[in-house]
């Protein structure tokens, strides 16, 4: 954690604000466990040159800087969703969209699951979407299941729920929505939001079939036991990186960061298909 925080300070001096932000975020990920389990004093009084509050303040400053940079490059980011979507064309072709949620709550303790379903059902009916809602955390089964089936925290079930839906290959887009998130402006369609992402790339009719083939191979796993199972899956992803250069996107770095021992390959840096990720 302290090494990452120091690296962020070095990036500040080298005028590399984006890299500094990522280093601070990564240091916070590693430090959050100690902060929650042992407290702020444990971090501040350690022999390492780091202060928890100062590091968090540094993250806030870096994020504020990045927000300003984004607004200068893409002013629509400062607009409400309805206004932003109006600046981009929406495709006329019908798109199959699924909204996926896990509501693993005791109904005798909270009505959250029932209220969540009512909200999603009304919104989906209005626009023709599919609702995939789990009342118990699902477990996606593939060649790597044995690594996590006994130790995977319930919060990670969102990954399994999304993979279950993606593996069926019945939708063009799959959206995750937390159980306690609700659609408030029902007039804004998901197609309007997708139009922002899709405006940079033409439609590739064969891409869906290639992705379905990837899912089939992923679920089937290797035909023979490999020396390194994780590396086999990494190589599978590498083999399906999009070769389409028609997307208007940033050029991937020549030397993308990679650490396969952590399950962190560089394939996503080379991927040019449109992918929309909205984070809290």
């Amino acid at each position: 954690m302290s090494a990452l925080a120091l690296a962020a300070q070095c990036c500040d001096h080298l005028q590399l604000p984006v890299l500094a932000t990522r280093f601070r975020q990564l240091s916070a990920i590693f430090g959050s466990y100690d902060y929650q389990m042992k407290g702020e004093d444990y971090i501040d009084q350690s022999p390492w040159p780091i202060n928890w509050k100062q590091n968090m303040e540094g993250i806030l400053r870096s994020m504020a800087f990045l927000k300003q940079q984004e607004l200068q490059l893409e002013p629509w980011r400062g607009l409400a969703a309805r206004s932003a979507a109006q600046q981009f064309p929406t495709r006329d072709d019908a798109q199959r969209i699924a909204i996926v949620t896990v509501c693993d709550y005791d109904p005798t303790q909270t009505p959250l699951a029932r209220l969540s379903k009512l909200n999603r059902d009304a919104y989906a009916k209005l626009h023709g979407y599919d609702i995939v809602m789990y009342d118990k955390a699902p477990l996606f089964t593939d060649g790597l299941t044995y690594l996590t089936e006994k130790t995977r925290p319930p919060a990670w079930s969102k990954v399994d729920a999304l993979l279950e839906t993606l593996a069926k290959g019945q939708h063009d887009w799959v959206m995750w929505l937390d159980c306690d998130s609700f659609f408030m402006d029902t007039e804004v369609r998901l197609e309007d939001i997708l139009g922002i992402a899709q405006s940079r790339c033409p439609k590739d009719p064969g891409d869906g079939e290639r992705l379905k083939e990837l899912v089939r191979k992923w679920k089937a796993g290797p035909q023979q036991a490999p020396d390194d199972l994780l590396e086999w899956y990494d190589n599978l992803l590498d083999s399906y990186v999009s070769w389409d250069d028609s997307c208007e996107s940033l050029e991937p770095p020549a030397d993308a960061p990679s650490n396969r021992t952590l399950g962190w390959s560089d394939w996503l840096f080379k991927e040019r298909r449109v992918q929309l990720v909205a984070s809290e």
Side-chain angles (χ1 to χ4, degrees):
M1 176 183 174
S2 59
L4 295 168
L6 289 173
Q9 294 177 30
C10 292
C11 290
D12 286 335
H13 290 294
L14 294 172
Q15 298 183 348
L16 300 172
V18 176
L19 190 57
T21 301
R22 300 310 178 210
F23 272 126
R24 286 195 173 94
Q25 289 175 324
L26 194 55
S27 72
I29 291 174
F30 281 100
S32 294
Y33 177 82
D34 284 337
Y35 176 78
Q36 292 180 350
M37 303 302 293
K38 301 177 182 178
E40 185 174 342
D41 290 341
Y42 173 83
I43 297 173
D44 295 346
Q45 296 173 10
S46 70
W48 303 103
I50 187 170
N51 178 279
W52 176 259
K53 184 177 180 180
Q54 291 177 0
N55 198 47
M56 294 299 102
E57 290 175 346
I59 291 178
L60 294 177
R61 287 195 302 271
S62 296
M63 293 306 297
F65 175 82
L66 289 183
K67 287 286 185 183
Q68 291 300 317
Q69 292 291 100
E70 287 180 343
L71 288 174
Q72 291 179 12
L73 294 172
E74 298 176 315
W76 59 266
R77 289 180 177 272
L79 303 175
R82 186 183 302 188
S83 300
Q86 291 174 354
Q87 301 187 26
F88 296 87
T90 301
R91 290 180 177 173
D92 296 329
D93 55 312
Q95 300 192 74
R96 298 162 299 175
I97 299 176
I99 301 169
V100 182
T101 299
V102 175
C103 282
D104 192 351
Y105 290 97
D106 184 349
T108 64
Q109 299 297 318
T110 174
L112 179 59
R114 181 175 61 84
L115 296 175
S116 181
K117 188 175 189 309
L118 289 172
N119 175 261
R120 284 149 179 68
D121 285 346
Y123 182 73
K125 184 178 180 180
L126 183 63
H127 299 295
Y129 306 140
D130 293 329
I131 298 295
V132 181
M133 199 159 180
Y134 295 88
D135 56 7
K136 294 295 180 184
L139 180 66
F140 182 72
T141 303
D142 61 11
L144 300 174
T145 302
Y146 76 97
L147 293 173
T148 59
E149 59 182 339
K150 294 182 179 179
T151 60
R152 196 180 187 96
W156 281 88
S157 65
K158 61 181 66 177
V159 177
D160 293 84
L162 286 172
L163 288 174
E164 286 283 1
T165 307
L166 288 169
K168 295 177 181 178
Q170 299 174 352
H171 299 91
D172 301 299
W173 288 87
V174 176
M175 175 189 181
W176 168 262
L177 195 65
D178 281 347
C179 186
D180 57 357
S181 297
F182 288 74
F183 293 102
M184 304 304 292
D185 188 345
T186 57
E187 293 185 16
V188 177
R189 304 179 307 155
L190 296 181
E191 289 91 342
D192 298 332
I193 306 301
L194 295 175
I196 298 175
Q198 292 178 309
S199 64
R200 293 175 178 246
C201 287
K203 183 177 180 180
D204 180 359
D207 195 45
E209 291 304 315
R210 290 195 294 271
L211 290 174
K212 287 180 182 178
E213 182 182 6
L214 168 60
V215 171
R216 285 195 294 268
K217 290 185 176 180
W218 182 283
K219 292 209 71 172
Q223 295 181 352
Q224 296 180 343
D227 294 332
D228 189 325
L229 184 61
L230 289 176
E231 185 175 3
W232 185 89
Y233 278 100
D234 276 333
N235 291 334
L236 179 63
L237 289 175
D238 284 339
S239 68
Y240 277 82
V241 170
S242 175
W243 54 85
D244 181 12
D245 291 330
S246 60
C247 294
E248 179 193 340
S249 59
L250 296 175
E251 287 297 321
D255 297 316
S258 177
N259 189 332
R260 285 194 167 188
T261 61
L262 297 176
W264 180 18
S265 186
D266 62 353
W267 70 270
L268 190 55
F269 287 90
K270 301 175 183 177
E271 175 61 70
R272 301 183 72 89
R273 297 182 184 92
V274 177
Q275 301 185 47
L276 182 62
V277 179
S279 171
E280 295 179 43

